[in-house]
Amino acid sequence: MTWDTIVGLEVHVELATTSKIFCGCPTLFGRPPNTQCCPVCSGFPGALPVLNQQVIEYALRVCLATDCTINSLIRFDRKNYFYPDLPKGYQISQQHQPIGRGGKLVITTDNGDKAIGIHEIHIEEDAGKLIHDPQGKHTLVDYNRCGIPLLEIISRPDLNSAEEALDYLDKLRRLLLFIGVSDCRMEEGSLRADVNVSVRPTGSKVLGTRTELKNMSSMKAMALAIAYESRRQIKILTEGGRIRQETRRWDENEKRSFALRIKENVEDYRYFPDPDLMAIRINDHWIKNTRELLPELPDAKYQRYLTTLDLTAYEASILTSHPALADLFEATVAICGRAKDVAGWIMGEWLQECNQRACRPQDLKVTPEKLARLVRLLAEGDITRGTARQVFIQMIDNQADPDDYVHRHNLRMIRDIKTIDAAIDQAMAAHPRSVADYRAGKNKVRTFLVGQAMRVLQGKADPALLNRRLLEKLNTPD
Amino acid sequence: MNKPLPQPLIDPKQISRVAHLARLNPDEAERVLLRQELERILRSFDRLEWPDTRNTEPIYHPHPDTNRLRPDEVQSPFDPADLIHESIGQDGFLMAPKTME
């Protein structure tokens, strides 16, 4: 018997507001524990919440970008549960009248595009963070995260593999980044995905009992967890067992999941309307204004890069993976044209430097104006790629101006044949053994001799010209 | 139109479930008491079912006001340190009963 895997994702995304959802506490990440809380977010009796307007603005953007139907009247409900991460004893969420329903997100599969339904988007507050010390007698609680605004984006069970789930999450991450509502850093918990997995015999229309997986801190972990859970369920069912509806915790070290608790049903949370918060009316004018402020979405950008800028699918995909890259690319191309050259430089040297410096793309302080001039110098053959790299480092570290730096350090490419010939002669004279080896049939030695001749000219020779002249000289016996 | 008052029946399983959700572990005598009290509560709620509300809009809030919003600005009039008594704190964290084995 063959089995189909059915996956649905519940994505929690922390919104990039400067203050919390119901109080004025800051939302900075990584601060000392319990230094960003107040009576409202730590649940002191009598403290009253007031909704942050920016939360609604951001939520509207997400609903519009995912084609959700927006509710004209939304309310907040209390989700009651008892756990130390929740000082009030309830989480303010939206159960009955959420902000959006019925949207979609298109992913790319081997069989073409596939629309993944979005069941619902609702607003809620984040809970505190618990630290479980296996040796300690207590659980340590940090309430800084309490009251950070969250959107929960619930997909329909339309995903059929770990790959599709990853693509969905990646598409969603790009979308949220481009519309500027979250920094989507999984490692800091600002984008978290709970995964519902079930299996059913191929061809069956009935959904199997699902389990919910938690605690995946990276895309890779999520893929492993889905594949593991699917195999685990198929094994149980094949052996005649039954799947329990439960929440399971992914253990990154052991690469397996463990039952965490029997899944509570919705009635166990005893939802009821929060009497401390007023309803919010969202009129057409508000929606229209928000729609007009939406930037070009990453899918549209990707298509434009393919069709009007002639980039490859790979180039377009990388450049639309983060708004900082797309903004830099477009601003630079607007100055110098040369979309292919700019794309090549950003995807190569720019990202390589970010990688080496362990920083984000936007952290390299090089303006599009300067980058455009560097790309032009390289593309027009005024400097070699090696020189361009050297100049680029100076641009990052010392805010060097590329034209000025090249001029002052005499870095323009050498195309004078006499100078190049002299450098080749010098290299050949210094390495007669290599010359003899080449002439005896060891072609690989040529690369070494190119390097030696280039070294004589401090890496500034026109590489094509140098190569051609060296070949001519090597093939001409003394 | 008044509806007849139904007799709520709470079986021992439901008592166990409510106790589990409330993280309580009542003994047999307490279970009897809990059952009586819960049935009294349910009967009180049943009184709310008496009026016919089929054509009445539900009221979520006694006040009709909407869109009470505040700008996204940081305002910290409290010193968080004042919120945590040293007897329940450790290195800035609050200490709660152990939640994981």
Side-chain angles (χ1 to χ4, degrees), chain A residues 283-416:
Chain A
N283 58 25
D284 292 345
H285 179 68
W286 197 350
I287 293 172
K288 182 169 167 279
N289 279 352
T290 308
R291 196 188 293 277
E292 282 169 2
L293 288 173
L294 276 185
E296 184 182 27
L297 301 182
D299 271 357
K301 217 178 253 299
Y302 173 87
Q303 286 302 332
R304 183 165 61 81
Y305 287 0
L306 291 187
T307 51
T308 65
L309 296 177
D310 207 24
L311 298 191
T312 64
Y314 179 67
E315 289 167 336
S317 173
I318 298 282
L319 292 173
T320 55
S321 65
H322 197 287
L325 291 179
D327 290 350
L328 173 71
F329 169 70
E330 291 187 21
T332 309
V333 171
I335 297 163
C336 70
R338 301 188 179 281
K340 283 292 232 189
D341 297 322
V342 175
W345 191 269
I346 293 175
M347 291 170 59
E349 280 74 6
W350 190 287
L351 287 180
Q352 197 181 326
E353 272 310 308
C354 292
N355 209 10
Q356 281 183 0
R357 292 164 192 248
C359 70
R360 298 171 302 169
Q362 62 268 40
D363 292 337
L364 296 188
K365 297 297 173 214
V366 173
T367 61
E369 289 76 17
K370 286 184 180 173
L371 180 61
R373 298 220 308 270
L374 180 70
V375 168
R376 192 177 281 154
L377 282 170
L378 175 63
E380 291 179 356
D382 289 333
I383 55 174
T384 63
R385 198 160 190 98
T387 303
R389 279 197 203 104
Q390 180 190 338
V391 177
F392 185 51
I393 302 293
Q394 291 301 320
M395 288 160 67
I396 299 168
D397 290 337
N398 303 315
Q399 287 76 51
D401 178 278
D403 295 300
D404 180 54
Y405 190 85
V406 165
H407 177 70
R408 276 195 296 117
H409 292 82
N410 193 23
L411 294 174
R412 286 205 175 262
M413 186 142 65
I414 297 168
R415 290 211 192 87
D416 176 55

Side-chain angles (χ1 to χ4, degrees), chain A residues 127-387:
Chain A
K129 204 180 266 181
L130 302 185
I131 296 174
H132 307 284
D133 174 9
Q135 268 75 49
K137 287 181 180 166
H138 295 93
T139 292
L140 300 178
V141 191
D142 174 12
Y143 285 146
N144 283 350
R145 205 176 64 180
C146 262
I148 302 274
L150 288 181
L151 281 190
E152 183 168 353
I153 302 166
I154 304 169
S155 86
R156 291 198 169 279
D158 292 343
L159 300 156
N160 290 110
S161 65
E163 291 74 30
E164 287 188 11
L166 282 191
D167 195 32
Y168 171 86
L169 192 60
D170 183 51
K171 277 275 166 69
L172 187 59
R173 186 189 64 83
R174 286 175 192 230
L175 191 68
L176 298 168
L177 282 171
F178 273 84
I179 60 176
V181 302
S182 174
D183 61 18
C184 292
R185 292 192 195 166
M186 279 190 98
E187 69 281 8
E188 290 182 5
S190 56
L191 184 73
R192 312 194 286 268
D194 296 341
V195 186
N196 289 307
V197 180
S198 65
V199 297
R200 66 183 174 196
T202 302
S204 167
K205 296 285 172 217
V206 184
L207 286 173
T209 303
R210 67 172 196 265
T211 56
E212 184 178 357
L213 297 168
K214 283 184 181 287
N215 199 42
M216 285 84 60
S217 57
S218 67
M219 297 253 197
K220 196 176 152 207
M222 192 176 87
L224 287 173
I226 293 171
Y228 173 88
E229 183 57 16
S230 170
R231 283 197 307 272
R232 188 187 72 86
Q233 291 188 14
I234 291 170
K235 183 166 183 286
I236 290 174
L237 293 173
T238 309
E239 291 168 357
R242 279 179 58 202
I243 306 298
R244 283 202 312 177
Q245 186 176 339
E246 62 190 4
T247 302
R248 299 179 66 84
R249 182 176 182 277
W250 176 250
D251 188 311
E252 185 56 36
N253 294 326
E254 296 203 24
K255 301 279 183 283
R256 53 177 292 203
S257 64
F258 295 91
L260 196 63
R261 58 173 188 260
I262 301 293
K263 181 90 181 122
E264 266 104 4
N265 292 314
V266 68
E267 58 267 28
D268 296 334
Y269 290 118
R270 291 154 289 152
Y271 281 98
F272 65 88
D274 192 309
D276 291 341
L277 287 158
M278 306 294 180
I280 306 292
R281 280 191 191 283
I282 301 170
N283 58 25
D284 292 345
H285 179 68
W286 197 350
I287 293 172
K288 182 169 167 279
N289 279 352
T290 308
R291 196 188 293 277
E292 282 169 2
L293 288 173
L294 276 185
E296 184 182 27
L297 301 182
D299 271 357
K301 217 178 253 299
Y302 173 87
Q303 286 302 332
R304 183 165 61 81
Y305 287 0
L306 291 187
T307 51
T308 65
L309 296 177
D310 207 24
L311 298 191
T312 64
Y314 179 67
E315 289 167 336
S317 173
I318 298 282
L319 292 173
T320 55
S321 65
H322 197 287
L325 291 179
D327 290 350
L328 173 71
F329 169 70
E330 291 187 21
T332 309
V333 171
I335 297 163
C336 70
R338 301 188 179 281
K340 283 292 232 189
D341 297 322
V342 175
W345 191 269
I346 293 175
M347 291 170 59
E349 280 74 6
W350 190 287
L351 287 180
Q352 197 181 326
E353 272 310 308
C354 292
N355 209 10
Q356 281 183 0
R357 292 164 192 248
C359 70
R360 298 171 302 169
Q362 62 268 40
D363 292 337
L364 296 188
K365 297 297 173 214
V366 173
T367 61
E369 289 76 17
K370 286 184 180 173
L371 180 61
R373 298 220 308 270
L374 180 70
V375 168
R376 192 177 281 154
L377 282 170
L378 175 63
E380 291 179 356
D382 289 333
I383 55 174
T384 63
R385 198 160 190 98
T387 303

Side-chain angles (χ1 to χ4, degrees), chain A residues 19-20 23 34 141 268 275 281, chain B residues 17 61 67 70 72 92 94:
Chain A
S19 66
K20 290 187 179 180
C23 63
N34 297 306
V141 191
D268 296 334
R281 280 191 191 283
Chain B
R17 177 133 188 84
H61 203 279
N67 295 32
R70 62 175 184 83
D72 182 22
L94 282 157

Side-chain angles (χ1 to χ4, degrees), chain A residues 18-20 23-24 34-35 39 50-53 75 131-132 134 136 138-141 143 268 273 275 279-281, chain B residues 17 21 60-61 65-67 69-70 72-76 78 80 84 91-100:
Chain A
T18 51
S19 66
K20 290 187 179 180
C23 63
N34 297 306
T35 55
V50 185
L51 180 61
N52 182 340
Q53 174 158 0
R75 296 181 196 279
I131 296 174
H132 307 284
H138 295 93
T139 292
L140 300 178
V141 191
Y143 285 146
D268 296 334
I280 306 292
R281 280 191 191 283
Chain B
R17 177 133 188 84
L21 288 172
Y60 289 92
H61 203 279
D65 203 3
T66 57
N67 295 32
L69 298 160
R70 62 175 184 83
D72 182 22
E73 288 165 4
V74 170
Q75 290 177 326
S76 306
F78 297 93
I84 303 173
D91 303 329
F93 289 98
L94 282 157
M95 290 187 294
K98 212 169 171 179
T99 54
M100 263 184 132

Side-chain angles (χ1 to χ4, degrees), chain A residues 422-467:
Chain A
I424 293 171
D425 290 344
Q426 194 180 328
M428 286 171 67
H431 300 283
R433 182 73 185 270
S434 300
V435 175
D437 284 350
Y438 178 82
R439 286 175 177 160
K442 286 189 180 171
N443 284 341
K444 280 186 184 170
V445 184
R446 187 162 64 97
T447 318
F448 169 74
L449 289 167
V450 169
Q452 294 306 309
M454 195 57 111
R455 204 167 165 186
V456 174
L457 297 172
Q458 288 115 41
K460 294 184 289 184
D462 178 341
L465 186 58
L466 187 140
N467 251 302

